[in-house]
Amino acid sequence: MRIGELAKRADVSRDTIRFYERHGLISSSPSEVTSNSYRDYPDSTLEVLSMIREAQNAGFSIADLTFFLSEIGTGSGDPDAVEAFLNNKIAEVEESIARASSFLSLLKQTRDSLDAEEDESNL
Amino acid sequence: MRIGELAKRADVSRDTIRFYERHGLISSSPSEVTSNSYRDYPDSTLEVLSMIREAQNAGFSIADLTFFLSEIGTGSGDPDAVEAFLNNKIAEVEESIARASSFLSLLKQTRDSLDAEEDESNL
DNA sequence: ATAAACCATGGACCATTGTCAATTGTTTTA
DNA sequence: TAAAACAATTGACAATGGTCCATGGTTTAT
């Protein structure tokens, strides 16, 4: 599919798609029609884009993703390095989830005590 | 305490502390010694700094934190706006945790299939 | 009392993650 | 077939979250 359709379906901008492609997160092929310079993106790019969002949300940088996706994609590279990378990242993400949960509790507690105050003043 | 000690204890740079203070996340008072321009930070700043880290990890921006901390600190402002802000943020953080957990599964699954490949080739 | 360590201020600078605009070419549609 | 919509490329611009540096003053340690 062409970049415009991909952008619409994945809900990211064309520029973002090009940005990701420049950084090796996704890839495309020249269109079958050789008379233009349009690129063709496989359907699977949709899932990759969705995964990129999840990964970023979990704290992955573009550089992390470049490494992860290229390793996963090609299977080349030092398997031990990939394993070490994954173990590191798994630990980081677990840690991050734990921290976020703790912060979430604080937010809820804050809201609840705010509610209590409200009720207090509405007697 | 003075900025250097705070920086060391909280494990952030002095510049970061000043940056946060400029943005209203923390505050200090002039030192008791009036002959200098040194600032004095209360011990509680340590917890605030630690909370800032948790909040950032959970997706809060500096602007979010500025709002949250000032509201929590002063109790002034529109309580409904604060409540709405909190409800929004709580939903966002919950969503983010769910996504991160899903991504974590992918990472683990990737590691496991990598391990399986390894074992495969080591028969 | 002097050197080393610390502090404040201001502004420049930086990496990351995009976004926008200009130009030029291609496709689709009315 | 002409206008509107879409695409590629290049390079500038922007927001966020800091970091660094120069300068000049203050404190602490020797």
Side-chain angles (χ1 to χ4, degrees), chain B:
Chain B
M1 92 190 77
R2 299 199 308 207
I3 198 170
E5 185 186 349
L6 179 61
K8 198 158 285 179
R9 292 221 262 159
D11 194 32
V12 300
S13 75
R14 272 177 268 236
D15 280 328
T16 298
I17 290 171
R18 297 201 182 99
F19 175 81
Y20 289 165
E21 191 163 7
R22 275 203 302 287
H23 287 78
L25 273 57
I26 58 181
S27 54
S28 60
S29 40
S31 93
E32 326 77 46
V33 182
T34 57
S35 65
N36 67 21
S37 56
Y38 295 3
R39 311 280 327 174
D40 186 64
Y41 295 86
D43 285 20
S44 58
T45 312
L46 281 168
E47 283 118 67
V48 178
L49 287 173
S50 152
M51 194 246 261
I52 289 173
R53 270 220 283 256
E54 267 188 1
Q56 284 187 316
N57 168 76
F60 267 49
S61 67
I62 298 293
D64 287 340
L65 276 163
T66 302
F67 180 77
F68 180 63
L69 288 170
S70 84
E71 288 302 331
I72 295 327
T74 70
S76 79
D78 181 359
D80 285 356
V82 178
E83 177 112 23
F85 171 83
L86 283 175
N87 282 327
N88 260 327
K89 286 301 170 185
I90 285 167
E92 278 179 27
V93 174
E94 279 173 344
E95 181 60 23
S96 167
I97 289 173
R99 283 176 178 284
S101 299
S102 141
F103 183 63
L104 180 61
S105 298
L106 173 66
L107 286 182
K108 286 181 170 170
Q109 178 194 314
T110 304
R111 178 186 55 187
D112 293 351
S113 58
L114 202 82
D115 281 353
E117 268 181 56
E118 278 281 306
D119 292 351
E120 192 83 3
S121 70
N122 284 354
L123 285 184

Side-chain angles (χ1 to χ4, degrees), chain A residues 9-20:
Chain A
R9 292 221 262 160
D11 194 28
V12 300
S13 76
R14 271 177 271 230
D15 281 328
T16 298
I17 290 170
R18 297 200 183 99
F19 175 79
Y20 288 165

Side-chain angles (χ1 to χ4, degrees), chain A residues 7-8 12 18 28 30 32 40 70-71 73-74 84 92 98 102 104 107 113 115 117 123:
Chain A
K8 199 158 283 178
V12 300
R18 297 200 183 99
S28 59
E32 327 76 46
D40 186 64
S70 83
E71 287 303 332
T74 69
E92 278 180 28
S102 141
L104 180 61
L107 286 182
S113 56
D115 281 351
E117 268 181 56
L123 284 184

